[in-house]
């Protein structure tokens, strides 16, 4: 679970927003064009200037007239996030842009940045003029969508093995199945996180809990198994909840909004996850299976990269060569901690010394820095 | 810390800095001659003058303190800027491990670093800047120095002994004989994670944000080729290379670096700091050697030490900084009047066969250790022509007898060969070594 939620979808929308801000300053300064929707956020209301607008690029001009810091979301009807803007202080004006197809959406203001927010139903109409993508890019997106679905499909049975062991009170068997059950999730986490409600249910760590929030998911069980050494009735109950939430993910994941830039940014985000959570050993603080997650994150990032390669190679062959090299270097380094290259049995992270962690961290930086340039190479 | 450990370079930017900065010359400052006579480099303590306050930039009619001017120090020159350059107020020093095994890649990195250093020392952003570029890409420059003046930023590179190791880049034959592995001194408690390194970059500036920005951006350019091994922030220069102003004080409250080599004294620089052609490999001619030591001070116990004992330990009084029996800071010390174990006495060039270094160390405070003690001390930086005549004998003598050792401990150590300056836009850091 990442400390800040920036989903693939959000990342894509952010890119769109930046493009709009930097590219269309003149136009938008002239006067609110047709695509513009005024959003006035107050502590107890969320007014929108129009509830119907043409699909395509839309632009929300947000003004926070309330007393609390707020955030504004554009949501699909099932609460998936199209785009969001956080930390809008009182009195501030900010702009949020997104690319939307025709359909129903909700705009939500969240005064205090908490709760479900105050919502307005809006509709995007017409055929929508969404930028044409090259067939290569469409192929990359389609293949990645397929990959994401496969990962979810393969995860569920593994998660069931884990959940059943917990429910049967088989402590050791449950421990054995734990890390393996997370691999598919870790490979595709940025997409999973685009469904804002699932990630906090299945992958939250205890210190990420908000007041009043109930702690569920893998790490809840990780603590029970390794620290409390318990696989009893209560744990069985949490195992059921985990399967229920993962089933929702498996059903929804195929509908995620995916674009070439979101794939590229998602790859970078996976490396960011490694850099902030896995290298430090925070992610799996009880089981110390961090290197399994680490490997899965790298694999997921590499998948995106491989799929985008045909496009990126044309625009920036040097970058692609560098990424090939750095992925190989990091994988070679990870293999040092692996029983054999077909297994996901990695050295327990508490046995990985300070100097070795530094070496892993250096290799992550060496890959993540050029990877942060992949999105630009894709859209150039 | 010893005086020697502390002092820093002299003030004027010899190579780079001098052209935009001239030392003010007022009647109260001691003559350079008297300073030199004192023994120059070896001693930090009573240092002559102060760096920043005295250094001035002349702009039309008025003279403003150099630090306030925000001026740029020229990057190109026969020697690297940041050695004889008047000591700036802040430091970010970083030591790097070279990760690549490909010599061509190392060369490319040094070229990229040189171009970035040229821009940053002139007050410009790296590459295409921090904004206005492609929206989908992270900007070339990280942006935190936007709108800030050049702040006399200098960037100085050094090459550690490990870079010359056999089987790495084919440099084993080019390792200077003087780039020794420092001996272990009694009392050293060195942390390998804060010692050594293949490359170092010393960033000095009057604005800490400018210094940090420089190291951060070089590290970023280097990811994949190099990795930061350790780094140190410093403030409050503890010695100066400008013998004409107030001597700065170290964290123990004593004036430090009174007799440092002056950055404008070309004769002394040639004698004690710059490596000459006959000294060693031709690629290092016009360069120097840098010793970096992280010296932790036992601040709390020092503060509980009586004034008399503190003054006896240093061999100077706390208020004026005068040597035992003398009235003024810059009065010639009479060494026999001091305890045989007094810091100034042991560090003095007369005790060390005339050994001198150009010191440009900084105080550091890295918050508090887990025991509630201030993690503070001196980050000693000293440039010298010959380690065997400079740092090694002086530190040997200090490590053996200095009473100050009860209150300090050397916890980090590194040594680098510092190549000569980058001559022009076509030149790059390390060209003479690697091409």
């Amino acid at each position: 679970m990442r400390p800040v939620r920036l989903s693939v979808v959000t990342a894509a929308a952010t890119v769109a927003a930046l493009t709009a801000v930097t590219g269309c300053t003149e136009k938008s300064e002239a006067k609110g064009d047709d695509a513009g929707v005024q959003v006035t956020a107050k502590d107890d209301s969320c007014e929108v200037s129009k509830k119907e607008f043409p699909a395509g690029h839309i632009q929300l001009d947000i003004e926070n007239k309330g007393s609390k810091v707020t955030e504004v979301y554009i949501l699909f009807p099932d609460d998936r996030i199209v785009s969001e803007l956080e930390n809008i202080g009182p009195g501030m004006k900010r702009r949020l842009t997104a690319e939307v197809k025709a359909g129903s959406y909700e705009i939500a203001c969240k005064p205090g940045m908490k709760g479900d927010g105050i919502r307005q139903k809006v509709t995007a109409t017409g055929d929508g003029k969404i930028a044409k993508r090259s067939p290569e890019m469409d192929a990359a997106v389609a293949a990645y969508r397929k990959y994401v679905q496969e990962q979810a499909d393969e995860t569920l049975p593994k998660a069931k093995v884990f959940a059943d062991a917990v429910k049967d009170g088989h402590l050791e068997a449950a421990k054995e199945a734990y890390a393996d059950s997370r691999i598919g999730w870790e490979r595709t986490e940025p997409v999973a996180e685009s469904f804002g409600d699932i990630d906090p249910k299945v992958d939250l760590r205890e210190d990420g809990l908000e007041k009043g929030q109930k702690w569920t998911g893998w790490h809840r069980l990780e603590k029970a198994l390794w620290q409390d050494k318990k696989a009893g009735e209560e744990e069985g109950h949490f195992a059921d909840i985990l399967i229920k939430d993962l089933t929702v993910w498996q059903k929804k994941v195929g509908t995620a909004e995916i674009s070439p830039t979101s794939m590229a940014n998602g790859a970078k985000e996976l490396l960011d996850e490694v850099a902030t959570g896995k290298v430090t050993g925070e992610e799996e603080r009880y089981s110390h299976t961090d290197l399994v997650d680490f490997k899965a994150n790298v694999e997921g990032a590499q998948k995106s990269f491989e799929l985008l390669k045909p496009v990126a190679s044309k625009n920036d062959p040097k970058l692609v060569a560098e990424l090939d090299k750095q992925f190989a270097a990091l994988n070679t380094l990870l293999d040092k901690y692996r029983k054999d290259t077909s297994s996901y049995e990695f050295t327990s992270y508490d046995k990985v010394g300070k100097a070795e962690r530094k070496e892993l961290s250096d290799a992550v930086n060496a890959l993540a820095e050029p990877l942060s340039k992949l999105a630009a190479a894709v859209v150039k | 810390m010893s005086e020697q450990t502390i002092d820093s370079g002299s003030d004027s930017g010899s190579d780079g800095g001098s052209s935009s900065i001239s030392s003010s010359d007022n009647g109260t400052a001691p003559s350079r001659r008297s300073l030199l006579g004192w023994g120059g480099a070896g001693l930090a303590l009573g240092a002559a003058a102060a760096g920043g306050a005295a250094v001035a930039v002349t702009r039309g009619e008025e003279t403003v303190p150099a630090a306030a001017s925000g001026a740029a120090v020229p990057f190109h020159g026969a020697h690297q800027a940041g050695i004889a350059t008047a000591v700036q107020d802040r430091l970010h020093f970083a030591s790097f491990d070279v990760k690549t095994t490909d010599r061509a890649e190392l060369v490319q990195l040094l070229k990229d670093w040189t171009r970035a250093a040229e821009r940053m020392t002139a007050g410009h952003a790296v590459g295409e800047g921090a904004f206005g570029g492609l929206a989908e890409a992270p900007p070339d420059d990280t942006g935190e120095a936007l709108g800030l003046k050049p702040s006399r930023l200098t960037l100085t590179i050094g090459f550690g002994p490990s870079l010359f190791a056999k089987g790495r880049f084919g440099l084993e034959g080019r390792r200077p004989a003087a780039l020794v592995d420092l001996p272990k001194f009694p009392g050293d408690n060195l942390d390998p994670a804060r010692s050594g390194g293949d490359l170092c970059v010393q960033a000095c500036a009057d604005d800490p944000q400018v210094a940090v920005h420089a190291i951060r951006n070089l590290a970023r350019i280097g990811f994949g080729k190099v990795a930061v091994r350790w780094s140190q922030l410093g403030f409050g220069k503890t010695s100066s290379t400008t013998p004409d102003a107030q001597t700065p004080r170290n964290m123990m409250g004593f004036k430090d670096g009174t007799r440092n080599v002056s950055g404008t004294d070309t004769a002394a620089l040639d004698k004690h700091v710059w490596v000459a052609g006959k000294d060693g490999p031709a690629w290092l001619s016009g360069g120097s050697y840098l010793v970096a030591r992280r010296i932790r001070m036992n601040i709390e116990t020092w503060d509980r030490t009586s004034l008399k004992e503190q003054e006896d330990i240093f061999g100077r009084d706390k208020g004026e900084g005068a040597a035992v029996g003398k009235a003024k800071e810059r009065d010639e010390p009479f060494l026999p009047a001091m305890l045989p174990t007094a810091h100034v006495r042991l560090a003095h060039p007369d005790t060390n066969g005339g050994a001198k270094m150009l010191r440009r160390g900084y105080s550091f405070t890295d918050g508090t250790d887990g025991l509630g003690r201030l993690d503070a001390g001196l980050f000693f930086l000293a440039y010298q022509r010959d380690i065997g005549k400079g740092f090694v004998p002086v530190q040997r003598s200090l490590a053996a007898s200095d009473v100050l050792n009860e209150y300090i401990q050397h916890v980090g150590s590194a040594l680098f060969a510092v190549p000569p300056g980058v001559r022009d836009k076509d030149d790059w850091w390390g060209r003479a070594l690697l091409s």
Side-chain angles (χ1 to χ4, degrees):
Chain A
M1 159 87 189
R2 305 153 52 225
V4 178
R5 181 157 24 91
L6 178 66
S7 66
V8 163
V9 169
T10 313
T14 308
V15 167
L18 287 168
T19 312
V21 170
T22 51
C24 312
T25 320
E26 221 174 293
K27 195 168 120 198
S28 48
E29 270 174 6
K31 54 186 149 346
D33 53 43
D34 287 348
V37 179
Q38 314 296 320
V39 178
T40 309
K42 295 182 182 166
D43 290 347
D44 53 4
S45 68
C46 182
E47 295 158 24
V48 296
S49 63
K50 45 179 136 174
K51 302 205 167 180
E52 216 177 280
F53 42 80
H57 285 285
I58 61 156
Q59 174 184 309
L60 303 187
D61 287 308
I62 302 158
E63 183 170 10
N64 182 3
K65 289 191 173 172
S67 65
K68 296 175 183 165
V69 177
T70 193
E71 54 192 355
V72 172
Y73 287 78
I74 306 172
L75 300 164
F76 290 107
D78 60 358
D79 266 12
R80 278 180 298 135
I81 301 160
V82 178
S83 188
E84 68 173 314
L85 199 57
E86 294 177 345
N87 284 314
I88 308 166
M92 279 179 68
K93 290 182 183 176
R94 300 279 298 276
R95 177 171 297 163
L96 173 63
T97 63
E99 216 176 76
V100 295
K101 295 175 187 158
S104 299
Y105 297 90
E106 285 187 338
I107 289 172
C109 305
K110 291 193 185 177
M113 305 202 354
K114 277 191 282 202
D116 290 338
I118 306 158
R119 307 217 176 176
Q120 295 285 354
K121 286 193 192 311
V122 294
T123 311
T125 55
D127 353 326
K129 288 156 272 168
I130 290 186
K132 269 259 181 210
R133 279 204 295 254
S134 70
E136 274 170 323
M137 291 216 199
D138 282 338
V141 168
Y144 188 65
R145 184 185 302 287
K146 194 172 153 226
Y147 172 74
V148 166
Q149 186 64 58
E150 280 167 8
Q151 293 305 312
D153 293 347
E154 286 168 18
T155 294
L156 216 62
K158 290 179 180 177
K160 279 183 180 146
V161 170
F162 170 62
D164 287 346
V166 173
K167 282 159 65 175
D168 295 345
H170 291 156
L171 197 67
E172 289 311 313
K175 284 178 167 181
E176 195 96 336
Y178 170 77
D180 200 35
S181 74
R182 293 174 43 74
I183 290 173
W185 172 271
E186 289 289 326
R187 281 177 182 151
T188 58
E189 200 171 352
V191 182
E193 283 172 350
S194 71
F195 306 100
D197 52 339
I198 299 176
D199 183 67
K201 286 180 184 164
V202 303
D203 198 25
L204 192 68
R205 298 196 301 258
E206 193 170 15
D207 44 16
L209 285 172
E210 284 174 37
K211 210 178 161 202
Q213 190 179 359
K214 200 172 153 200
W215 189 28
T216 59
W218 271 301
H219 295 301
R220 170 75 182 74
L221 289 163
E222 182 205 0
K223 188 182 181 187
L225 296 172
W226 271 272
Q227 180 166 294
D228 308 333
K229 302 184 174 31
K230 269 175 63 189
E233 202 177 317
E234 197 189 358
E235 286 71 35
H237 168 66
F238 283 113
D240 281 337
I241 295 176
L242 175 65
I243 296 301
K244 195 186 89 203
D245 291 332
L246 289 176
T247 307
V248 174
W249 165 56
Q250 186 209 11
K251 289 204 175 115
K252 278 187 175 179
V253 75
T255 65
E257 291 292 303
I258 296 171
S259 70
T261 39
S262 75
M263 284 168 62
N265 282 317
K268 181 198 79 81
E269 286 167 29
L270 282 169
L271 264 291
D272 290 347
E273 293 240 350
V274 174
T276 52
K278 276 76 176 190
V279 158
T280 56
E282 286 167 74
E283 178 80 16
E284 305 287 0
R285 62 188 64 166
Y286 307 109
S287 66
H288 307 300
T289 55
D290 303 85
L291 286 176
V292 183
D293 295 9
F294 191 141
K295 178 69 182 173
N297 285 157
V298 172
E299 285 175 335
Q302 196 161 3
K303 182 72 185 181
S304 288
F305 166 60
E306 294 295 341
L307 292 173
L308 293 170
K309 229 180 197 179
V311 179
S313 301
K314 281 186 201 161
N315 294 331
D316 196 342
K318 256 179 83 179
L319 178 71
V320 169
E322 178 69 16
L323 287 169
D324 275 333
K325 184 176 140 191
Q326 298 299 348
F327 267 116
L330 183 54
N331 281 320
T332 304
L333 188 59
L334 278 171
D335 283 346
K336 276 173 55 178
Y337 301 95
R338 200 175 185 184
K339 230 178 164 188
D340 63 74
T341 50
S342 63
S343 112
Y344 281 82
E345 211 172 305
F346 280 85
T347 307
S348 179
Y349 206 58
D350 57 344
K351 304 280 191 301
V352 176
K354 229 172 139 183
E356 293 167 307
R357 290 184 184 201
K358 167 80 164 59
E359 195 183 17
L360 286 164
S361 174
D362 288 344
V364 169
N365 279 331
L367 171 59
E369 187 67 26
L371 197 53
S372 71
K373 298 179 177 118
L374 181 60
V378 168
V379 300
K380 237 181 225 172
Chain B
M1 79 252 9
S2 50
E3 332 184 14
Q4 41 171 333
T5 58
I6 298 182
D7 217 36
S8 74
S10 59
D11 89 344
S12 61
S14 66
D15 43 310
S18 46
S19 59
S20 62
I21 295 166
S22 60
S23 309
S24 66
D25 188 358
N26 60 50
T28 60
S31 73
R32 179 162 316 127
R33 187 164 187 67
S34 73
L35 288 173
L36 282 180
W38 212 92
L43 296 200
L45 276 209
V55 188
V57 172
T58 306
R59 240 193 220 152
E61 298 298 292
E62 42 174 347
T63 298
V64 294
S69 77
V73 175
F75 179 74
H76 298 120
H79 309 292
Q80 288 196 71
I83 302 172
T85 307
V87 181
Q88 302 90 327
D89 288 335
R90 303 294 182 129
L91 169 81
H92 190 182
F93 185 93
S95 166
F96 296 85
D97 290 325
V98 175
K99 307 298 279 192
T100 181
T101 52
D102 179 349
R103 181 169 163 147
E105 211 169 59
L106 173 61
V107 165
Q108 190 56 51
L109 169 76
L110 291 168
K111 288 178 179 171
D112 293 347
W113 268 10
T114 307
R115 302 287 87 87
E118 276 166 353
R119 290 191 58 82
M120 290 191 286
T121 52
H124 302 308
V126 172
E128 290 175 16
F131 60 89
L134 203 59
E136 288 82 357
D140 287 349
D141 187 278
T142 54
E144 75 272 28
L146 287 177
L148 299 178
K149 293 174 178 173
S151 306
R152 294 196 298 146
L153 172 69
T154 54
L155 293 167
T156 314
I157 199 168
F159 302 133
S162 48
L163 194 71
F164 298 83
K166 219 175 161 168
R168 285 195 82 184
F169 300 103
L171 297 175
E172 58 269 27
R174 315 198 81 181
R175 176 171 171 170
L179 190 63
V180 294
D181 293 317
L182 289 175
K184 184 186 183 308
F185 298 100
D188 277 5
N189 182 21
L190 304 181
D191 175 1
R194 285 187 191 275
S195 297
D198 296 324
L199 298 173
C200 74
V201 179
Q202 169 196 282
C204 297
D206 291 318
D207 185 326
Q209 183 127 337
V210 170
V212 170
H213 168 265
I215 293 296
R216 174 177 169 193
N217 280 272
L218 294 180
R220 199 174 160 219
I221 291 168
F223 282 132
K225 277 81 77 181
V226 295
V228 175
R229 181 178 173 87
W230 54 272
S231 82
Q232 182 67 54
L233 293 173
F235 64 92
K237 56 182 180 286
T238 55
S239 54
S240 96
T241 50
T242 38
D244 47 7
Q246 269 288 327
T247 299
R249 288 174 188 271
N250 64 17
M251 290 292 281
M252 288 172 156
F254 277 77
K255 290 185 180 178
D256 213 352
T258 299
R259 299 303 186 190
N260 204 13
V261 174
S262 163
T264 50
D265 188 342
T266 50
L269 291 169
D270 285 341
K271 186 170 177 196
H272 299 292
V273 178
W274 305 130
V275 172
K278 63 181 165 67
D279 292 344
W283 68 265
L284 193 59
S285 178
S288 190
Y289 293 97
L290 168 62
V291 172
R293 305 276 287 185
R294 188 174 191 268
I295 304 170
R296 174 85 189 267
M297 293 173 176
N298 301 328
I299 297 285
E300 291 76 14
T301 51
W302 174 258
D303 292 345
R304 292 193 278 267
T305 304
S306 75
L307 176 62
K308 175 158 192 334
E309 196 179 338
Q310 289 186 6
E311 293 183 334
D312 284 348
I313 287 171
F314 272 92
R316 286 185 176 275
D317 78 52
K318 201 165 188 176
E320 165 63 25
V324 175
K326 301 287 175 170
K328 292 289 177 193
E329 180 195 341
R330 296 185 183 91
D331 289 348
E332 192 72 17
F334 179 58
L335 297 180
M338 300 175 186
L339 293 179
T341 52
H343 180 72
V344 165
R345 183 167 175 173
L346 287 167
H348 196 280
D350 287 358
T351 318
N352 295 285
K356 287 186 191 181
M357 295 165 275
L358 183 156
R359 277 154 293 159
R360 44 162 46 237
Y362 287 83
S363 290
F364 69 83
T365 302
D366 292 341
T368 316
D369 67 14
L371 301 172
R373 307 177 303 183
L374 204 58
D375 181 2
L378 168 76
F379 189 64
F380 170 84
L381 292 170
Y383 288 87
Q384 58 221 275
R385 180 175 167 186
D386 185 341
I387 301 291
K389 288 186 185 148
F391 178 76
V392 171
V394 177
Q395 182 54 30
R396 223 189 271 284
S397 137
L398 287 170
S401 319
D402 189 359
V403 277
L404 194 56
N405 289 338
E406 193 179 332
Y407 300 97
I408 61 172
Q409 188 170 51
H410 288 234
V411 294
S413 178
L415 173 63
F416 302 93
V418 177
V422 173
R423 306 248 164 191
D424 52 42
K425 284 275 177 195
D426 298 319
D427 196 7
W428 44 276
W429 271 335
R431 182 184 50 79
L433 171 64
L434 284 153
S435 61

